[in-house]
Amino acid sequence: MIRIRDRFGSPTKFRDLPDQVAAIRDAQRAIHGSDQATLQAHVARLRTFVQRGDAVASPTVLALGGALVCEAVQQVLGKSLYDVQLTAGLILAHGAVAEMQTGEGKTLSGLMPAVLHALAGRGVHVATPNSYLAERDFQMLRPVIEHLGLTAGCLRDETEQSARADAYRCDITYAPGYAFGFDYLRDQMTLRSASGGRLGDQLRQRLRGTAPSTRLLQRGRRCAILDEIDHVLIDDAVSPLILSGTADREAPDAAIHRAAKQIADALVPAQHFDLARDGSGLELRPAGIEAIYADAALANDPQLRRAWHGYVQLALRASHQFQRDVHYIVTAGKVRIIDASTGRIFEDRTWNDGQHQAIEAKEGLRITSEQTALARITRQRFFRLYDVLCGMTGTANGCAEELKEFYQLPVVAVPLRVPSRRRTLPTISCRGEEEKLDRIVDEARQCQQRSQPVLIGTHSIADSQRLAERFEKAGLQFALLNGKQDADEAELIAAAGRAGTITIATNLAGRGTDIHLDDAAIAAGGLHVIVSQHHAIDRVDRQLVGRSARQGDPGSVRFYCTLEDPIVRQAPWIARWLERRITDPQTASQDQDFSQRLAPMIAKQQDRNQRQQSNLRRELLERDLATQNLIVKPRTRSVQGIER
């Protein structure tokens, strides 16, 4: 029998999940072999029950609805849902978070709750981390949904306004999480515009029959099902959803940014300014202020949008705190932001308050105008607007308390379908980066010689490129994944399970794509994952580790650690301990005792980082809730041109 573990107690609805799975199996046997018309008639009957007041999580709706989904998946896709997939689907139907390990089939698990909640007739939003995954899931599941007589739509980044409205009128709508938020803000702007005008104008227009029609995109926010819910609600929560006016033109203050860069290049650390040890802050010294204001003409330029020394501070941050191929890339003459937690490249995001323009000046690019914020909302406040919120992830452990506090979402762990065969090998510690790169190349070569596939996770595009250069010098064949997920990347990551393949990627490249092993790879020990350095947050490490040994396959994982790693620099006590232990890298640093003592130290620092980031997200939400404003008021300027 499946045993269910709820991190916040075990309400009856979660303790009875095995019985609910059994009820679905019984109901499916009763309808097995039914034709499409019969299945759709059952769906119509269930829809009537739900719209008359039956709860989606009632025993009758769960049993028959789950059976209908299972039968449709069998008839259309030729697949049978596992008990663990049904268990995860039931957890979502009850409005909770299913912690389902990587590779256990989350895509199909989310189908049953989507269909059940769609019976209410108010639409279901299925949110994914990016557009590629939304399109992939939509294309895979739409035939099943339509087989049941329901409709499905998908929002793509380039989808036009009328097509977006049509997608929202479907029973189930797939899109990246941010798309739902931005369309909500667009609707709020539409409502704001429609409510404008003089007092009594709207009443007179309605009486005359001349009132303009206000067609909103969304029907409301009945239910949201979030794939990789920790990424959507936690990792991305530090970035508010900001609807901006387009500003793809030369900035009026472009010359000021270029002048600020020249001044910043001449300033000396510890003499003119101070950098925080962790790189998060920058403060000007009196000598720096004096040097910046030596030219009075720049300080009084009519194109200033902020104080003159603010421009220089932005230029200093661009030079000292933002690294190319770590925090951003430059492609086609534009700066693209890199997601710190996943290594993905954002096509439609910019830093605000002049920082993006300062980086453009640093890179010698055309300096674009700052975008004007029209409306904004935090992701926390937006997703709390849904009547029903639920989701899945393999890494809820570590953020369960935050999901409970911010969203009132309990986390329920789903057991593995078959026991894991993953082997965790002793950690290898090195004094520096060069030694680490050489040893990773040696380990990958040994794996390749015995036909074992290798996936190497790096923290940034720059790190992956440095490692790729080592492999080229060593004459080893490998695949290198960039940070933009598309069909090509999915094909590369899916091929990472072939015997002898070496794949270098940012930590979460190919997220959501299964890595299937061939027979030779299984015989050689399965996929071997090398974690080139610990991430600041444990959940990201576990996502990478979870690529290995899926669904009972063999596999192994090894971590590397150096004195130069960011997480070690954050915790000097770890650095001192490592310094004492690293005597002979071939012996002392590889024993099991070393790994067992290092692991809790790293975990302690990762937990500290998690709590710090959680506090930042809490403060962001509190400020948002305090204002409750969506529409951004236009800024005013002083006579010096500085925005207020």
Side-chain angles (χ1 to χ4, degrees):
M1 175 180 289
I2 295 176
R3 299 184 63 186
I4 303 301
R5 179 167 52 89
D6 173 18
R7 300 187 185 284
F8 295 94
S10 298
T12 301
K13 62 184 179 182
F14 297 136
R15 291 199 300 268
D16 291 346
L17 288 176
D19 294 335
Q20 295 173 32
V21 171
I24 291 175
R25 296 298 189 200
D26 290 341
Q28 185 184 3
R29 281 189 286 270
I31 64 172
H32 180 65
S34 298
D35 58 21
Q36 183 178 6
T38 301
L39 296 182
Q40 292 186 4
H42 283 305
V43 171
R45 189 175 301 111
L46 274 182
R47 186 193 291 269
T48 301
F49 291 159
V50 171
Q51 293 182 357
R52 286 180 178 176
D54 282 19
V56 167
S58 65
T60 300
V61 175
L62 288 177
L64 183 54
L68 289 167
V69 171
C70 288
E71 185 65 19
V73 169
Q74 178 67 53
Q75 292 183 11
V76 176
L77 302 179
K79 297 181 179 181
S80 297
L81 294 180
Y82 297 118
D83 283 0
V84 293
Q85 291 175 305
L86 290 179
T87 299
L90 288 167
I91 292 169
L92 269 62
H94 285 294
V97 175
E99 185 179 43
M100 191 178 191
Q101 296 304 310
T102 304
E104 291 289 286
K106 289 193 287 291
T107 300
L108 286 175
S109 298
L111 178 60
M112 181 180 72
V115 169
L116 292 177
H117 284 294
L119 298 175
R122 294 170 54 192
V124 173
H125 296 169
V126 181
T128 63
N130 56 59
S131 295
Y132 166 76
L133 292 177
E135 175 72 19
R136 185 205 64 179
D137 292 355
F138 167 70
Q139 294 294 345
M140 174 184 176
L141 299 177
R142 178 174 60 173
V144 182
I145 294 169
E146 293 177 346
H147 193 71
L148 292 170
L150 302 176
T151 57
C154 184
L155 298 174
R156 303 166 182 85
D157 292 339
E158 67 277 7
T159 303
E160 297 294 333
Q161 184 90 348
S162 60
R164 299 183 83 84
D166 292 339
Y168 277 117
R169 277 151 183 77
C170 292
D171 294 302
I172 303 172
T173 307
Y174 290 85
Y178 60 80
F180 295 117
F182 284 132
D183 283 341
Y184 168 73
L185 291 177
R186 292 185 181 99
D187 280 349
Q188 297 305 306
M189 293 290 294
T190 299
L191 291 171
R192 170 76 173 236
S193 176
S195 64
R198 294 175 300 175
L199 185 65
D201 281 352
Q202 293 183 58
L203 176 60
R204 282 191 291 270
Q205 289 174 343
R206 285 196 296 269
L207 292 174
R208 295 170 182 169
T210 59
S213 61
T214 302
R215 189 185 184 193
L216 302 180
L217 292 170
Q218 297 178 345
R219 295 189 276 167
R221 284 152 300 284
R222 161 63 182 169
C223 173
I225 298 175
L226 278 56
D227 185 20
E228 306 292 1
I229 192 170
D230 57 330
H231 177 78
V232 177
L233 293 187
I234 303 297
D235 299 332
D236 252 5
V238 294
S239 302
L241 295 163
I242 303 176
L243 190 63
S244 302
T246 56
D248 191 18
R249 61 180 186 275
E250 179 79 2
D253 56 350
I256 301 176
H257 277 289
R258 297 188 181 97
K261 178 186 178 299
Q262 293 180 349
I263 296 294
D265 289 344
L267 301 182
V268 180
Q271 178 182 343
H272 296 109
F273 63 93
D274 293 310
L275 284 169
R277 183 171 182 175
D278 61 358
S280 61
L282 185 147
E283 185 175 351
L284 291 171
R285 289 190 172 195
I289 295 291
E290 183 177 348
I292 291 170
Y293 281 96
D295 187 342
L298 291 172
N300 294 294
D301 192 300
Q303 294 295 340
L304 285 171
R305 291 174 59 91
R306 56 187 54 84
W308 162 234
H309 67 270
Y311 280 88
V312 181
Q313 281 183 301
L314 291 171
L316 287 170
R317 292 194 67 210
S319 297
H320 296 277
Q321 295 177 316
F322 289 85
Q323 300 178 45
R324 184 169 177 168
D325 293 333
V326 175
H327 301 103
Y328 65 92
I329 64 168
V330 175
T331 176
K334 294 184 178 182
V335 172
R336 303 296 191 198
I337 297 175
I338 298 175
D339 183 355
S341 64
T342 66
R344 298 247 168 266
I345 298 168
F346 293 126
E347 296 293 336
D348 57 351
R349 295 189 190 181
T350 61
W351 284 292
N352 56 14
D353 296 328
Q355 190 61 68
H356 204 86
Q357 288 66 35
I359 294 174
E360 289 173 330
K362 167 190 171 182
E363 297 293 342
L365 304 174
R366 173 174 172 264
I367 300 175
T368 58
S369 292
E370 295 181 37
Q371 294 189 340
T372 303
L374 303 176
R376 63 180 292 156
I377 189 173
T378 58
R379 295 167 198 263
Q380 297 102 312
R381 180 150 71 101
F382 169 68
F383 282 107
R384 283 156 53 122
L385 296 174
Y386 282 89
D387 297 334
V388 178
L389 185 64
C390 57
M392 302 168 289
T393 179
T395 49
N397 185 20
C399 62
E401 293 183 4
E402 188 168 343
L403 289 170
K404 184 70 173 179
E405 177 187 354
F406 288 2
Y407 307 100
Q408 298 302 303
L409 287 173
V411 174
V412 184
V414 180
L416 292 170
R417 184 173 65 88
V418 292
S420 174
R421 298 169 59 191
R422 184 184 304 119
R423 295 182 302 121
T424 301
L425 304 179
T427 298
I428 292 181
S429 61
C430 309
R431 286 189 174 275
E433 188 73 12
E434 297 301 313
E435 177 189 343
K436 179 181 72 175
L437 296 179
D438 289 338
R439 300 195 67 178
I440 289 176
V441 170
D442 288 341
E443 182 169 0
R445 180 190 289 111
Q446 294 173 20
C447 291
Q448 191 176 59
Q449 289 172 350
R450 60 176 179 265
S451 298
Q452 185 175 19
V454 181
L455 174 63
I456 307 170
T458 63
H459 272 210
S460 66
I461 293 175
D463 288 344
S464 67
Q465 291 172 340
R466 282 194 293 269
L467 189 56
E469 291 173 359
R470 291 299 177 97
F471 276 91
E472 288 179 348
K473 291 180 180 179
L476 296 177
Q477 295 293 319
F478 63 92
L480 176 63
L481 301 188
N482 62 20
K484 179 180 178 181
Q485 185 164 22
D486 53 22
D488 292 336
E489 181 184 285
E491 183 177 348
L492 280 174
I493 200 68
R498 296 174 184 169
T501 300
I502 298 175
T503 307
I504 304 171
T506 50
N507 277 350
L508 295 189
R511 185 174 191 169
T513 303
D514 284 335
I515 299 177
H516 297 287
L517 304 178
D518 58 29
D519 292 340
I522 293 175
L527 181 66
H528 179 54
V529 170
I530 294 177
V531 185
S532 62
Q533 61 177 280
H534 288 277
H535 195 273
I537 302 298
D538 171 64
R539 288 184 296 107
V540 179
D541 283 344
R542 286 188 283 121
Q543 279 281 354
L544 177 59
V545 168
R547 310 313 299 260
S548 173
R550 294 182 173 201
Q551 298 191 29
D553 286 335
S556 55
V557 60
R558 191 193 301 276
F559 284 85
Y560 277 75
C561 183
T562 78
L563 294 169
E564 299 174 2
D565 289 349
I567 195 168
V568 174
R569 294 200 302 267
Q570 286 179 344
W573 50 282
I574 298 179
R576 290 192 295 269
W577 184 83
L578 277 176
E579 185 71 40
R580 291 195 300 268
R581 288 299 303 263
I582 299 177
T583 54
D584 182 2
Q586 297 296 328
T587 57
S589 66
Q590 292 188 57
D591 61 63
Q592 194 65 43
D593 175 69
F594 173 87
S595 300
Q596 290 175 350
R597 294 185 62 183
L598 177 63
M601 297 182 189
I602 296 293
K604 181 178 180 181
Q605 182 60 37
Q606 289 175 326
D607 180 66
R608 181 178 298 175
N609 293 336
Q610 173 69 28
R611 284 186 277 110
Q612 289 176 346
Q613 293 187 15
S614 179
N615 289 335
L616 290 175
R617 291 187 287 268
R618 182 180 294 105
E619 293 172 3
L620 182 65
L621 176 60
E622 289 173 350
R623 289 197 299 270
D624 194 23
L625 292 175
T627 61
Q628 293 288 323
N629 290 329
L630 293 174
I631 310 302
V632 178
K633 295 180 179 179
R635 293 182 177 180
T636 57
R637 297 173 184 268
S638 66
V639 292
Q640 291 83 16
I642 301 174
E643 289 191 355
R644 302 293 186 186

